[in-house]
Amino acid sequence: MTRRRVLQTAGALGVGAALAGCASEEDPPGGVPATGAPEETFTPPTRKLSGDLKILLWSHFVPSHDTWFDKFAADWGAKAGVKVAVDHVDQATIPTRIAAEISAGQGHDLVQFIATLSHLEQGVLDLKDVTDEAVKRWGTQLELCRKSSSNPKTGKFYAYSPGWVPDPGNFRTSLWREAGLPNGPTTWDELLAGGTEIKNKKNVQMGLGMSQEIDSNMVLRALMWSFGSSIQDANEKVVINSDQTVAAVEYMTKLFKQTMTNEVFSWNAASNNQGLVAGKLSYAVNSISAYRTAQGSSPDVADDIGFVPALRGPSGALAAQHVMYNWIVPKHAKNPDAAKEFLLHYTANYAAATYASKLYDFCAWDKLTPNLATWLGSDPFGSKPADKLKLLADATKWSTNIGHPGPSNGAEGEVFSTFIIPNMFARAARGEVTAKQAVLDAEAQITPIFAKWRSQGLVGG
């Protein structure tokens, strides 16, 4: 890779840094119950392995996951004849770490991150062989993960995606009960009506950001999709300038004026988590991370938190994934064979990963976590009521990838990392421009981004 390309990669990796912040403050207490954990299996590698395997991954928000993973990786290495070294670092530092290693042509053999890494396609090995083997062993991969790890234009799997994390709505049941919706809102219209009543009567605001951080990026895309809008179509052509996008922006402007305050324009990725745990928000869109934190720090708040799936709009109900696990093998990897074999072993034992993460991590192959629905229906980690998380069993029905209805290509990654969508909504909500002008301005930024990636042969359309 040229120095210019490395710098472009480092910039594009900003999407990863944005994604990373959502879990940086999470550290729920309590370990994983000794009973109920899935039994781990070992299948001998398909080839003879030796040498070292250096793995880099984020410090998971559930410490017990990393404790499990380190032992899991070491045990596999001892059986497979490989010396495994695992480095956990703060997720916000991984993007620059990856860029630096690719630039230097040396570093870790295997890297895990929580965002799609489409912009790294030219600096990583094609993992189609790993994905094909996984499909051969366990059946069809979840389309959400497949679209977030492969490029249909080039046919390359720039990453291997064995898992993901849903992004449900989090609401305070006591507040919404008084607003006449004890089970929480189910539509964007109900969110507006109920949120307005709660704000007027209780002075408790919503937690939907319009800032340069992950949760704003995610929830605003969910709103767009539910209104029939998107950045690109299925053929990777820019289609953001539409009546549907304008309607979504107008809706969000009204929601802001009636249910929120100006602080949502300057939120960081932890703000809605902290606000929910502190009891200062009536509704937010996030993973179960804030809830798991509240279970330890504010049990009364945790018991009052409920969850709802994607809200329905004029054209349907969709939410973005909250985390998308991408594992990459850089071209400089010295032991790619061991990296690939470990990925298959890790996937085969994904049920253990799900359990160790306290049901945060979901697998791209349902058959590998056969007890997931049971766990969600009777949470082994103390939910009250025990079935509070059961709606997540159907999360694949209302979740989709960044880039929907197309793939998570490099252009979508750059749009994400430059926060064009949150800025579009924020400018209209603050009254700086009309909704239509905000959409036109966003289109003017997005079109050349797609043209650039398309000229490199990395985006279709």
Side-chain angles (χ1 to χ4, degrees):
M1 299 177 72
T2 64
R3 181 177 183 275
R4 175 183 177 85
R5 179 60 183 157
V6 169
L7 291 174
Q8 290 175 337
T9 297
L13 278 167
V15 60
L19 280 165
C22 64
S24 62
E25 87 289 355
E26 307 300 346
D27 190 13
V32 174
T35 58
E39 182 178 352
E40 296 171 18
T41 63
F42 174 78
T43 301
T46 60
R47 65 200 100 181
K48 182 174 176 57
L49 303 176
S50 62
D52 298 331
L53 176 63
K54 298 178 180 179
I55 303 175
L56 175 68
L57 70 163
W58 70 311
S59 295
H60 202 289
F61 92 92
V62 180
S64 56
H65 172 276
D66 290 349
T67 300
W68 165 82
F69 183 89
D70 292 352
K71 183 179 184 302
F72 173 80
D75 289 348
W76 174 84
K79 295 176 182 177
V82 177
K83 183 179 179 181
V84 180
V86 179
D87 292 320
H88 296 275
V89 297
D90 185 271
Q91 53 273 20
T93 68
I94 290 182
T96 53
R97 182 77 171 267
I98 298 174
E101 291 188 0
I102 290 178
S103 176
Q106 60 183 358
H108 291 84
D109 302 285
L110 182 61
V111 182
Q112 180 223 53
F113 197 54
I114 62 174
T116 180
L117 296 173
S118 53
H119 38 271
L120 289 181
E121 180 172 344
Q122 294 174 311
V124 300
L125 297 183
D126 188 352
L127 295 184
K128 185 177 185 300
D129 55 344
V130 180
T131 305
D132 287 348
E133 179 61 27
V135 169
K136 179 181 177 181
R137 295 185 186 187
W138 304 302
T140 304
Q141 182 185 25
L142 181 65
E143 187 69 9
L144 170 62
C145 292
R146 192 175 186 88
K147 277 190 171 184
S148 300
S149 58
S150 61
N151 186 341
K153 174 66 175 179
T154 63
K156 181 174 181 177
F157 280 76
Y158 51 82
Y160 174 66
S161 182
W164 67 294
V165 177
D167 202 30
N170 299 220
F171 72 98
R172 292 294 302 274
T173 58
S174 58
L175 295 173
W176 286 87
R177 184 181 300 112
E178 291 188 32
L181 295 167
N183 296 318
T186 60
T187 68
W188 288 99
D189 284 345
E190 287 182 352
L191 184 75
L192 176 62
T196 299
E197 181 175 340
I198 292 170
K199 181 67 165 57
N200 291 339
K201 292 184 177 180
K202 300 292 185 178
N203 197 31
V204 179
Q205 72 169 50
M206 289 273 185
L208 306 183
M210 286 178 277
S211 182
Q212 297 188 5
E213 50 87 30
I214 173 183
D215 294 326
S216 298
N217 249 330
M218 294 298 190
V219 71
L220 296 174
R221 280 167 170 75
L223 173 61
M224 288 173 60
W225 297 328
S226 298
F227 271 66
S229 166
S230 62
I231 295 171
Q232 65 176 3
D233 63 13
N235 297 314
E236 301 175 84
K237 294 182 179 179
V238 177
V239 294
I240 191 169
N241 185 8
S242 67
D243 292 341
Q244 290 83 358
T245 307
V246 173
V249 174
E250 290 175 340
Y251 170 89
M252 193 62 184
T253 298
K254 188 174 183 180
L255 187 70
F256 162 72
K257 291 179 178 179
Q258 295 182 196
T259 71
M260 292 182 273
T261 63
N262 286 336
E263 63 187 297
V264 298
F265 297 125
S266 58
W267 268 6
N268 61 38
S271 296
N272 62 354
N273 294 51
Q274 294 166 348
L276 191 68
V277 173
K280 296 180 178 179
L281 298 177
S282 64
Y283 183 91
V285 175
N286 210 319
S287 64
I288 63 172
S289 57
Y291 169 65
R292 288 301 192 203
T293 298
Q295 282 183 291
S297 63
S298 306
D300 291 342
V301 172
D303 292 347
D304 195 36
I305 293 175
F307 298 94
V308 293
L311 299 180
R312 182 165 299 280
S315 297
L318 282 176
Q321 87 283 333
H322 188 73
V323 163
M324 177 53 60
Y325 288 115
N326 266 203
W327 290 85
I328 61 170
V329 179
K331 287 183 176 180
H332 63 248
K334 294 182 178 180
N335 204 344
D337 287 346
K340 293 178 179 181
E341 289 288 350
F342 176 77
L343 287 176
L344 292 169
H345 174 69
Y346 168 75
T347 306
N349 289 279
Y350 211 92
T354 298
Y355 199 82
S357 70
K358 297 185 178 180
L359 313 188
Y360 185 85
D361 294 354
F362 280 30
C363 190
W365 284 272
D366 287 342
K367 68 183 301 180
L368 294 178
T369 52
N371 294 325
L372 180 60
T374 299
W375 292 336
L376 294 172
S378 183
D379 182 16
F381 306 104
S383 286
K384 297 178 182 178
D387 65 350
K388 179 174 289 190
L389 303 178
K390 66 180 181 180
L391 83 159
L392 297 180
D394 294 324
T396 55
K397 296 179 180 179
W398 43 266
S399 302
T400 191
N401 62 288
I402 296 299
H404 173 84
S408 303
N409 56 41
E412 284 278 355
E414 184 171 341
V415 172
F416 195 107
S417 67
T418 50
F419 303 103
I420 293 173
I421 298 304
N423 291 342
M424 174 183 74
F425 279 92
R427 293 179 68 222
R430 285 194 296 255
E432 297 173 4
V433 294
T434 64
K436 185 172 182 60
Q437 187 61 52
V439 173
L440 286 170
D441 292 344
E443 180 190 36
Q445 293 176 278
I446 292 170
T447 299
I449 291 174
F450 271 76
K452 178 186 67 178
W453 286 89
R454 190 173 292 115
S455 69
Q456 298 174 20
L458 298 173
V459 169

